[in-house]
Amino acid sequence: MNITNRIRKSANREVYFAKRLLESANRMANLQIEGEILQIEQSSTADAAVLIENNTFKKID
């Protein structure tokens, strides 16, 4: 194997692992975003439940 092939294989290996790290970081960021969305949805649902419980919504005849 000549020096060019050795350099190319090493560079390809580094790119492969860099991509794997980036994919993992993206998955973690997506999970964090999904968790934040879930918290917002739960908070909105809880707010709506309190409004209903306090009879804030009045029926208009």
Side-chain angles (χ1 to χ4, degrees):
M1 178 182 297
N2 64 32
I3 188 71
T4 304
N5 284 340
R6 266 191 256 144
I7 291 170
R8 187 178 310 131
K9 282 189 174 193
S10 178
N12 286 344
R13 191 176 314 115
E14 289 178 20
V15 168
Y16 169 79
F17 286 114
K19 281 184 170 182
R20 296 280 309 263
L21 286 173
L22 185 59
E23 289 169 0
S24 179
N26 284 340
R27 276 194 298 275
M28 291 299 291
N30 286 339
L31 285 173
Q32 183 177 0
I33 291 168
E34 288 175 11
E36 291 172 2
I37 289 171
L38 183 60
Q39 285 180 336
I40 291 167
E41 289 174 347
Q42 288 174 339
S43 175
S44 297
T45 301
D47 290 346
V50 168
L51 290 173
I52 291 168
E53 185 179 312
N54 293 334
N55 201 18
T56 305
F57 296 115
K58 306 261 185 214
K59 186 176 178 184
I60 300 173
D61 294 321

